Amino acid sequence: MENRSCKQAAPFVKWVGGKRNIKDSLISKLPFQFNNYYEPFAGGGALFFELYKRLKQAYLSDSNLDLILAYKVIEKNPNELIEFLKIHAKKHNKEYYYKIRQQHELQDAIEIAARFIYLNKTCYNGLYRVNKSGRFNVPVGSYNNPNIIQENNILACNQALESAVIRYQDFRDIKPDKGDFVYFDPPYYPVNATSQFTSYTKSDFSEKDQIDLRNLALRLHKSGVLVMISNSNTEFIRGLYKGGIFNAHIVNAPRYVNSKADARGPVEELLILNYKVK
């Protein structure tokens, strides 16, 4: 697979908080130059897929095992994955969705990846949420023609991932060197008490995790690593990153996931940098 002029790769999953719609804002705030690229909350990988042709080496990681398995299967076995997705697409209906959702004991990585992508494309609003046992529990969505197979994009992602090292690990375990660039896109700090999207893994992303992320960013800064962090524009997050090291920029991002239609629309997010941009 050497033809890198194929279709531009794009995220193969829908992801709450995905950066596809603000990628231009992110790109405008990138460092002028950097060495290796790290994304420790890989998610849909919108920024990586936009940049991969320019990167020397990329390190993508996440603590969501099913997501990382999907990345690895796309990297190693894209055609086999596509065949499984064709089966899911042919059989898809409400009853089939719940049957597949109950398959928690799969062992084959390709089957796990196909289940993960199928559920992501057909569940309510593309929301990834698990219960305390780590089991996916989102209801089926209402779509006339969900894009389950996405053959061309999976093959494009396969090519994009040739330059990536993919790891299942906690964000605290990354090891960038001086001159490398890290983009952190963690689960956002809730903007209010009813915010619902912290159940990204069976352990919620807590205030302590947010503090640990800030402390890691400080350590990376002292090591000469360039850092960009996305998060909610809240008093708690602004307080964590106040001071001379970090500078925060407001980005208006569309919000599509809300139970009330009139609550969907642009929302202010913070883009926090440890370097200066024009």
Side-chain angles (χ1 to χ4, degrees), residues 51-221:
L51 297 178
Y52 76 91
K53 293 180 182 179
R54 310 188 225 167
L55 302 177
K56 299 176 182 178
Q57 180 68 64
Y59 294 86
L60 305 178
S61 56
D62 207 286
S63 59
N64 185 315
L65 179 57
D66 286 354
L67 174 67
I68 289 301
L69 282 174
Y71 271 98
K72 285 183 171 290
V73 166
I74 288 175
E75 179 193 27
K76 301 294 185 184
N77 307 98
N79 294 305
E80 293 90 334
L81 173 64
I82 290 166
E83 292 308 309
F84 271 100
L85 290 173
K86 287 178 179 178
I87 295 171
H88 286 318
K90 183 177 181 180
K91 295 184 176 181
H92 173 61
N93 57 42
K94 182 177 180 179
E95 291 72 26
Y96 183 75
Y97 173 90
Y98 286 106
K99 174 185 175 182
I100 298 300
R101 199 183 76 166
Q102 287 299 113
Q103 293 181 348
H104 302 293
E105 310 304 328
L106 295 176
Q107 298 297 315
D108 180 78
I110 300 173
E111 287 187 72
I112 293 170
R115 172 185 178 270
F116 174 78
I117 293 173
Y118 165 68
L119 293 176
N120 174 266
K121 292 295 183 179
T122 55
C123 72
Y124 175 74
N125 269 349
L127 169 63
Y128 189 92
R129 184 188 65 205
V130 297
N131 60 23
K132 292 298 182 181
S133 299
R135 294 189 169 189
F136 184 77
N137 64 356
V138 180
V140 68
S142 298
Y143 305 103
N144 293 326
N145 187 28
N147 183 22
I148 297 170
I149 303 171
Q150 52 175 331
E151 181 171 356
N152 289 337
N153 187 51
I154 284 177
L155 294 175
C157 289
N158 165 266
Q159 292 192 4
L161 291 170
E162 289 177 357
S163 65
V165 175
I166 304 165
R167 291 173 175 156
Y168 170 57
Q169 66 180 16
D170 187 85
F171 72 91
R172 301 168 184 85
D173 296 330
I174 62 169
K175 304 293 183 185
D177 293 319
K178 181 179 179 180
D180 290 344
F181 171 61
V182 183
Y183 174 49
F184 291 105
D185 184 23
Y188 280 16
Y189 186 77
V191 296
N192 55 56
T194 59
S195 293
Q196 53 187 314
F197 303 120
T198 57
S199 299
Y200 176 67
T201 65
K202 63 183 179 181
S203 300
D204 288 352
F205 202 82
S206 66
E207 281 193 5
K208 180 184 181 301
D209 293 314
Q210 297 285 0
I211 293 168
D212 286 350
L213 174 55
R214 187 277 313 273
N215 292 341
L216 173 59
L218 287 171
R219 292 195 298 273
L220 293 177
H221 175 79

Side-chain angles (χ1 to χ4, degrees), residues 259-275:
S259 57
K260 298 179 181 179
D262 60 1
R264 301 171 190 168
V267 61
E268 287 188 350
E269 299 183 357
L270 289 181
L271 200 57
I272 301 157
L273 317 175
N274 74 330
Y275 54 89

